[in-house]
Amino acid sequence: MDSNLRIAVFNEKGIVPVTVVHLTGVLDWKTHQNFEDKAFEAIAAGADNLLIDMGGVDFMGSAGIRALHAIARRIRTAGPGGATGRMALLNPSEAAMRVLKTVGLDSYFGVHDNLAEALKSF
Amino acid sequence: MSGPRPLQLAAHFDSLKPIREFILESAHSAGLGQESSGELLLAVDEAATNIIMHGCPQGGCTIELEFRSYPDACVVHIRDDAPLFDPTALDDPDLHIPPMERDTPGGFGVYLFKHLVDEASYRTTPDGRNELTLLKRIS
């Protein structure tokens, strides 16, 4: 199990522009800050619809909750003129879903199985 | 009862990777199923993280993991020489408050390790260390 987290940020065009943050590797206390920083950079650059692709997360601990919490709070005022931005999760791995379900976050975020469906949700 | 030799590591974030590898390999050898192994892995990681972050943030402490396999359960003893503290006595966070409405998302690490195993218990060892014991039944 790699102890690094690789993060790719790219834009998709659905009904509205959506910024996808793709995670691969371990989301723990060593790596969560890098995830937060990359998401914050995207928000600062104008992203107000964030889709977090968690299909490649090999391991996620409570640090992942902290990161999602921080990003969700930041995106809430990321829309034009401080309007509410939106955030959803794509295809969480078994390891990610285990944490999300145990603390009830799976019912708080929109969780989608595939990209097309996720893009339509924004 | 059987199990590998106990693992001793510095209470540092760099130790989490070998801790996870130790638990996964031990759980596999013990015949624990994939879902239960994943739950035990997460529970032990959170318990060790709690020691690193809150028990011994200044460094200099040691975490010892002992994995024991029984016919019906796997047991992990997590010992450390940080100041004595019983994490099982902490109250659970109120999950009815949407996590994003909280100012700080604290308390989830302890919640995770308490709720992902069948039993979590704490004692002070005869030599004065913390010992958290996590039990996962083999179903």
Side-chain angles (χ1 to χ4, degrees):
Chain A
M1 187 182 292
D2 197 339
S3 62
N4 293 318
L5 181 69
R6 292 180 296 286
I7 304 166
V9 180
F10 53 93
N11 294 313
E12 289 280 355
K13 185 82 174 123
I15 300 167
V16 295
V18 176
T19 301
V20 180
V21 181
H22 183 271
L23 306 176
T24 308
V26 172
L27 180 50
D28 67 2
W29 289 98
K30 279 191 74 175
T31 63
H32 78 99
Q33 191 62 54
N34 197 20
F35 169 37
E36 288 179 39
D37 290 347
K38 287 283 186 351
F40 287 175
E41 282 173 21
I43 293 168
D48 57 359
N49 293 307
L50 268 191
L51 180 63
I52 313 297
D53 185 345
M54 307 188 82
V57 173
D58 298 323
F59 177 84
M60 173 172 151
S62 58
I65 301 172
R66 186 182 186 89
L68 292 172
H69 171 271
I71 296 164
R73 284 178 73 94
R74 183 70 64 95
I75 198 84
R76 284 203 304 194
T77 54
T84 304
R86 288 184 289 178
M87 176 172 156
L89 307 181
L90 175 61
N91 193 27
S93 64
E94 189 178 315
M97 192 52 110
R98 181 173 294 120
V99 177
L100 298 170
K101 274 192 170 174
T102 305
V103 302
L105 272 182
D106 59 321
S107 59
Y108 188 83
F109 288 115
V111 179
H112 304 280
D113 293 335
N114 66 74
L115 180 62
E117 176 201 316
L119 292 176
K120 279 187 208 166
S121 74
F122 285 95
Chain B
M1 181 186 78
S2 64
R5 288 176 53 193
L7 179 73
Q8 286 193 332
L9 292 164
H12 188 276
F13 284 123
D14 288 339
S15 299
L16 290 175
K17 182 183 178 191
I19 285 172
R20 290 195 285 260
E21 290 170 347
F22 174 79
I23 294 299
L24 272 184
E25 289 167 11
S26 302
H28 179 73
S29 298
L32 198 62
Q34 183 178 338
E35 180 63 22
S36 291
S37 293
E39 290 172 351
L40 183 61
L41 172 72
L42 179 54
V44 173
D45 183 274
E46 292 296 339
T49 296
N50 201 54
I51 295 165
I52 295 165
M53 289 185 69
H54 303 297
C56 199
Q58 75 283 5
C61 301
T62 299
I63 297 175
E64 178 183 271
L65 266 71
E66 183 180 359
F67 190 104
R68 291 291 176 193
S69 173
Y70 299 86
D72 61 345
C74 292
V75 175
V76 183
H77 300 287
I78 305 165
R79 305 184 186 97
D80 69 81
D81 52 4
L84 296 180
F85 179 70
D86 177 5
T88 66
L90 290 174
D91 291 334
D92 288 342
D94 182 356
L95 297 186
H96 294 99
I97 302 171
M100 302 315 150
E101 304 302 323
R102 302 168 196 271
D103 288 335
T104 55
F108 288 111
V110 172
Y111 180 86
L112 284 170
F113 81 64
K114 284 165 67 178
H115 289 267
L116 288 169
V117 295
D118 295 295
E119 293 177 25
S121 60
Y122 171 87
R123 70 163 187 153
T124 305
T125 63
D127 63 356
R129 291 183 293 164
N130 295 295
E131 182 183 77
L132 179 67
T133 298
L134 304 179
L135 181 148
K136 191 74 179 170
R137 292 205 175 85
I138 298 173
S139 51

